[in-house]
Amino acid sequence: MDRQRDDEMHEHDRGLSYDLPVLARRRMIRLMAGTGAGLLPLVGCTGSSSPATVTSPSATGAGAGTDVGTGTTCATVPEETAGPYPGDGSNGVNVLKESGVVRRDITGSFGDSAGGTAEGVPLTLTLTVVDAASGCGTPRKGAAVYVWHCDREGGYSLYTEGLTRENYLRGVQETDEKGQVAFTSVFPGCYPGRWPHVHFEVYGSLRDAVSATAITSTSQLAFPEDVCDTVYASEGYGSSVPNLRRLSLETDSVFRDGHDRQLATVKGSVAEGYTASLTVAV
C-alpha cells in the first residue's frame, strides 16, 4: 500500500488553522440548509452509571467521559475540526451519498471502489449518543453517526495517494434504542503530527446523514497511550512507533486544550482485538 507523501502528512500537522477554510465551507453549507441554529456542542457524560452504560473503565486504557450519567454531571466536549479528509462533501468527495455507506463493518471498501481491505489489529468502536437536555440520561434513538479514520499506515481512503479509489474505514449507522452504534474496524495508526484518533459526525437522523446535511456535531475520539504502545509493537504498525514517541495528548493540535471527555475506554488485546467506547450527548 502506498504511503502518504511528506507534504500530505504535514497537512495533518496544521490543526485548526489549516482547517478554518474547510470549517467555513461547512458552516455555509449548514446555513444554506437552514440548520445553522442547530450547531449544538457535543458533550460527554460522567458520573454514576445507569442501565445505558456502555462499559466500565478498565485498568488498561481507561478513559474519562465514557459512562452515561444520571443527570448529576453532563460535561461539554469540544466541537472539533473534521480535518482535511472528511469525505462528507465539505472538502471534495462525498462518500455519504454512495450506496453501501450505511454499514457496521467498515474494514473493506464498497461500491465501485478498488475493493481493498484495511489490515490491522481488530477494533470494535461503540459510540452511545444521549440527549444533553435530559442530563445525559436519555439515549438518542434514531440519530446517526458517521465515523472515519486512517489505516494502520496513516493513510486516508479517498484522499491519500494510492488510496483515492478506496473508501474503507468510513461508515454510517443509525443509533438503536440504547442510542448506540458499533463499528467493526481496525486500530488506526499514528502519523506525524497527530495523536491516534477517530473522527465522527452526529446527525439528527439517518436521512440527514446519507444526504450529508444538517450535521449536529463534529468531534474526535482519542486513544489511551498505553493501548497505543501495545498495538504499535505488533506487525504492520512500525512507522507509528517513532511518530507516537514525538507526541503527547497535551501537545496534540486538537486534544491539547483538554481530552478527558474525548478519551475512549479501551479493553482487549492484540490477539483478540480491542473494544473502544465513548458516550456523547447532543
Side-chain angles (χ1 to χ4, degrees):
M1 184 179 297
D2 291 336
R3 299 302 309 277
Q4 286 179 297
R5 297 172 299 181
D6 289 342
D7 56 344
E8 291 174 319
M9 301 293 269
H10 292 328
E11 290 179 345
H12 297 286
D13 243 341
R14 300 175 186 173
L16 183 60
S17 62
Y18 173 79
D19 292 307
L20 285 176
V22 174
L23 293 174
R25 290 196 297 272
R26 293 162 66 89
R27 187 174 295 111
M28 181 60 69
I29 291 172
R30 297 179 196 178
L31 290 172
M32 292 176 66
T35 59
L39 302 182
L40 302 178
L42 188 67
V43 303
C45 303
T46 58
S48 59
S49 61
S50 73
T53 298
V54 179
T55 183
S56 298
S58 65
T60 300
T66 55
D67 289 338
V68 177
T70 59
T72 57
T73 303
C74 188
T76 300
V77 173
E79 177 93 356
E80 303 289 9
T81 173
Y85 310 124
D88 62 0
S90 64
N91 190 24
V93 64
N94 189 344
V95 74
L96 293 175
K97 294 186 177 181
E98 295 186 17
S99 176
V101 71
V102 181
R103 57 190 184 144
R104 176 189 174 95
D105 189 340
I106 62 174
T107 55
S109 291
F110 63 91
D112 296 328
S113 70
T117 299
E119 302 293 337
V121 173
L123 173 70
T124 298
L125 176 65
T126 300
L127 299 180
T128 301
V129 183
V130 294
D131 183 54
S134 70
C136 294
T138 304
R140 286 288 297 270
K141 178 183 178 181
V145 181
Y146 166 45
V147 302
W148 72 97
H149 63 82
C150 71
D151 60 22
R152 69 180 179 183
E153 296 183 333
Y156 279 88
S157 66
L158 302 177
Y159 294 92
T160 299
E161 183 179 11
L163 300 180
T164 56
R165 294 187 58 202
E166 303 289 357
N167 54 26
Y168 56 51
L169 304 183
R170 299 176 185 273
V172 177
Q173 283 193 70
E174 183 178 40
T175 58
D176 61 16
E177 64 278 0
K178 295 181 180 180
Q180 293 183 350
V181 292
F183 294 91
T184 300
S185 190
V186 295
F187 204 95
C190 178
Y191 51 78
R194 278 307 317 277
W195 189 261
H197 62 282
V198 172
H199 295 269
F200 61 92
E201 293 174 343
V202 180
Y203 292 80
S205 68
L206 186 61
R207 181 177 180 178
D208 287 342
V210 297
S211 61
T213 60
I215 300 172
T216 301
S217 296
T218 304
S219 195
Q220 298 182 28
L221 172 153
F223 291 94
E225 183 175 5
D226 60 339
V227 177
C228 293
D229 284 337
T230 301
V231 172
Y232 295 160
S234 63
E235 183 180 359
Y237 289 92
S239 63
S240 293
V241 175
N243 291 336
L244 185 69
R245 190 177 298 129
R246 301 184 186 100
L247 296 166
S248 71
L249 281 163
E250 288 70 26
T251 60
D252 180 72
S253 61
V254 170
F255 300 122
R256 63 189 175 194
D257 61 350
H259 57 266
D260 58 322
R261 295 185 296 272
Q262 293 166 280
L263 192 61
T265 293
V266 182
K267 298 194 296 183
S269 66
V270 170
E272 298 181 1
Y274 287 88
T275 61
S277 304
L278 186 72
T279 297
V280 297
V282 294

